[in-house]
Amino acid sequence: FQAEDGIRHFCLSRGLGDVYKRQPLLCLLALPLEAVKYNKLDATTLYKRAIKHLDNESYRKADKVLKAYTKSKPNDSDGWNLYAFTKRKLGKYDLAEKYYKTSLELDPENKSALEYQGELFIKTGRVELARKNLVILENLCSSQCFEYEELKKSLIKASTS
């Protein structure tokens, strides 16, 4: 409904008359449903939704979806990599580092995780660790691969700034 204050959500609106009196009970019933909505989606849907949010640079939304996704698929290296990427983009570097580590423990050859972890190392002033990741990527790629090239560019940019 839309109350006189122009807000359409019944929990956020001041409402009118009897609607206002019922509002706290309705909000108590509605908020838990909103909070758990991602837990009811299957892993494939969660992953697709996370990718969509990341493509739109909606990192807070992606963060919520990836939290549910990694809970439902705890052994998916790519899921942990995307969760770490999201944390890095949100400036939560400690959590990003933890989740990159999880991703690489599950798949030590995850090229994307190695690249993004390298970017985290650069961002946090640990260029030597980023160079180690570049060497690992160089060994993993039979010829130059995208992840290697991207991390190499980031290292060059960091050394000139």
Side-chain angles (χ1 to χ4, degrees):
F1 83 95
Q2 184 169 352
E4 69 180 55
D5 57 12
I7 299 173
R8 292 184 181 269
H9 193 279
F10 63 88
C11 289
L12 302 177
S13 175
R14 288 187 303 270
L16 299 170
D18 290 335
V19 174
Y20 180 76
K21 291 175 187 168
R22 289 187 301 237
Q23 187 175 332
L25 177 60
L26 290 174
C27 289
L28 285 174
L29 295 173
L31 291 177
L33 294 175
E34 290 176 6
V36 298
K37 68 180 178 180
Y38 291 124
N39 294 338
K40 295 185 179 200
L41 299 175
D42 66 276
T44 302
T45 303
L46 288 169
Y47 194 83
K48 288 178 182 177
R49 201 171 275 189
I51 296 297
K52 179 182 168 193
H53 291 315
L54 290 171
D55 286 344
N56 293 328
E57 297 182 9
S58 300
Y59 300 117
R60 281 184 171 58
K61 289 179 181 179
D63 185 57
K64 290 176 185 175
V65 177
L66 287 163
K67 180 179 182 178
Y69 178 78
T70 54
K71 220 178 244 190
S72 72
K73 293 283 215 173
N75 295 320
D76 183 356
S77 176
D78 291 326
W80 286 105
N81 177 43
L82 291 178
Y83 198 20
F85 173 84
T86 302
K87 292 296 186 186
R88 178 169 59 91
K89 289 296 191 175
L90 292 171
K92 298 179 180 182
Y93 301 134
D94 290 344
L95 288 173
E97 186 155 354
K98 177 182 174 182
Y99 298 150
Y100 284 131
K101 184 179 177 190
T102 301
S103 174
L104 290 166
E105 284 172 353
L106 292 167
D107 179 5
E109 297 183 356
N110 184 327
K111 291 182 264 187
S112 183
L114 287 162
E115 177 207 339
Y116 290 152
Q117 184 187 50
E119 291 184 20
L120 173 68
F121 290 149
I122 292 168
K123 185 80 172 165
T124 56
R126 298 175 289 166
V127 176
E128 285 305 314
L129 291 174
R131 285 191 184 110
K132 287 181 181 181
N133 279 27
L134 188 66
V135 170
I136 295 168
L137 283 169
E138 187 176 31
N139 292 330
L140 288 175
C141 301
S142 53
S143 61
Q144 304 299 347
C145 61
F146 176 78
E147 295 84 0
Y148 173 85
E149 293 299 327
E150 289 298 305
L151 184 54
K152 185 177 176 181
K153 281 186 222 172
S154 295
L155 280 164
I156 291 168
K157 185 178 177 183
S159 67
T160 59
S161 46

